[in-house]
Amino acid sequence: MRDFDHFLAIDWSGAKGERHKGIALALADAKGGPPVLVEAPPRGWARTEVLGLLRDELPSNTLVGIDLGISLPFVDAGAYFPGWDESPRHANGLWELIDRICANDPHLGAHSFLRHPEATRYFRHSKDNVGDRFHLPDAISREGRFRQAETAQRAQKCRPVSNFNLVGAAQVGKSSLTGMRMLHHLKGHLPVWPVQPIPPKHPTRGSLLVEIYTGLAAKEAAASMGGRGARTKLLTYADLNAALEGLDSPPVAQIGEIDDHSSDALLTAAWLRKVHKEPERWEPRTLTAEIARVEGWTFGAF
């Protein structure tokens, strides 16, 4: 059983540019109290600043949850990129490939990967620009390919979007690719569950990073309150505090409106604190060692 002193939730962004209002960080203390936002620089967080925080400034024994896909579909086709001879064989190799191709992209951007003559073929870039390998030849769904963790999310009434889909407000493909660059740079500093092994010296202590899906946290908070306030985007402090109540968390003190990135981070930090000791969160029924190695998993998805 894992035991943590702090819980850091990160709402991530794959948008162009250096600084992003769409990145929010919130911290919850195992001792209790409401979750609190980590103060952002005046023009918003830079992805490189978040990387620096995770490498050098992270509070001891912290469970970090970040809202992005830590890998791409592999199991459905036996490869991330079927037909491309550079397709890696595991998630660590995928992170390295993306970072290498994007080495000259500033701000941990992933533009070069999406424009790579081979990689570009696997993504839906716009309504009128769909790569010829976005769909598998025998694919039934027109939504693109999904990881096993995303299939589990669907069974929990969530609606994940394929990481190969770059279209629409709900798409997470760009944020996932930029996030994978960061994960590559965290190697040796912060283990990523379940892709990388937990250091054997202190198997029940020490900081760890997991993939989160903020919509799952919101749904579970609503369900614990009998469905009251059952929404995945919380745009007022009143709605946020109602959801926090469902997670047995004290409310935050503010009133009025709140942006959805901040509310997502605050709610999910409290959710991580509440559910992290539940064994089933760490032992999903369909998670195998091979799936962990190539696709990773979404913490909390059964």
Side-chain angles (χ1 to χ4, degrees):
M1 180 69 67
R2 300 290 302 176
D3 189 19
F4 299 95
D5 297 324
H6 308 93
F7 305 89
L8 178 68
I10 303 174
D11 199 38
W12 188 250
S13 173
K16 293 181 180 179
E18 179 182 7
R19 298 193 173 274
H20 306 279
K21 296 296 185 180
I23 296 179
L25 285 68
L27 191 67
D29 195 304
K31 296 177 181 178
V36 297
L37 287 174
V38 180
E39 185 176 358
R43 294 188 293 115
W45 287 101
R47 287 186 286 262
T48 52
E49 290 172 339
V50 178
L51 170 62
L53 185 152
L54 295 178
R55 286 184 57 158
D56 305 317
E57 303 174 40
L58 191 66
S60 62
N61 201 37
T62 297
L63 177 60
V64 179
I66 185 163
D67 187 23
L68 53 80
I70 61 173
S71 188
L72 294 173
F74 184 104
V75 174
D76 62 339
Y80 300 114
F81 310 106
W84 183 15
D85 57 8
E86 284 196 55
S87 184
R89 301 180 66 176
H90 47 72
N92 284 288
L94 176 65
W95 303 343
E96 188 279 331
L97 174 69
I98 295 169
D99 190 64
R100 173 164 49 85
I101 290 175
C102 299
N104 294 324
D105 289 9
H107 320 307
L108 291 177
H111 179 80
S112 292
F113 191 75
L114 296 175
R115 295 295 177 266
H116 185 277
E118 286 295 327
T120 191
R121 301 173 65 186
Y122 297 85
F123 291 87
R124 173 189 279 152
H125 301 271
S126 68
K127 179 181 178 181
D128 300 318
N129 182 8
V130 181
D132 64 302
R133 291 181 176 172
F134 175 71
H135 296 295
L136 296 177
D138 58 350
I140 298 174
S141 171
R142 301 305 298 168
E143 299 178 66
R145 298 168 57 196
F146 290 93
R147 296 184 298 152
Q148 301 304 297
E150 292 149 1
T151 300
Q153 291 173 30
R154 289 187 159 214
Q156 292 172 263
K157 308 301 182 183
C158 294
R159 295 293 299 175
V161 176
S162 171
N163 286 334
F164 284 116
N165 178 29
L166 310 177
V167 182
Q171 66 88 12
V172 293
K174 294 175 183 176
S175 61
S176 295
L177 293 172
T178 59
M180 288 182 222
R181 289 196 67 190
M182 182 176 71
L183 297 181
H184 178 66
H185 287 273
L186 285 173
K187 188 174 182 179
H189 297 270
L190 183 63
V192 178
W193 177 89
V195 173
Q196 297 166 335
I198 297 171
K201 186 176 180 181
H202 300 291
T204 62
R205 301 282 292 178
S207 296
L208 192 66
L209 185 146
V210 299
E211 172 186 328
I212 55 174
Y213 182 26
T214 58
L216 179 60
K219 284 181 177 293
E220 291 191 3
S224 68
M225 297 294 287
R228 178 161 61 91
R231 61 188 70 179
T232 57
K233 293 300 178 184
L234 307 170
L235 301 179
T236 68
Y237 283 101
D239 288 337
L240 171 62
N241 283 334
L244 288 173
E245 182 182 355
L247 299 174
D248 302 324
S249 171
V252 297
Q254 291 91 332
I255 60 174
E257 295 182 348
I258 181 174
D259 67 272
D260 60 326
H261 306 293
S262 297
S263 65
D264 282 349
L266 287 164
L267 182 70
T268 309
W271 175 79
L272 285 170
R273 177 172 60 188
K274 178 177 174 61
V275 306
H276 79 283
K277 288 189 175 182
E278 298 174 4
E280 61 269 25
R281 306 288 181 171
W282 301 100
E283 300 172 0
R285 293 185 298 271
T286 57
L287 175 61
T288 65
E290 177 63 10
I291 292 173
R293 189 176 72 92
V294 298
E295 291 192 350
W297 199 260
T298 308
F299 182 75
F302 299 145

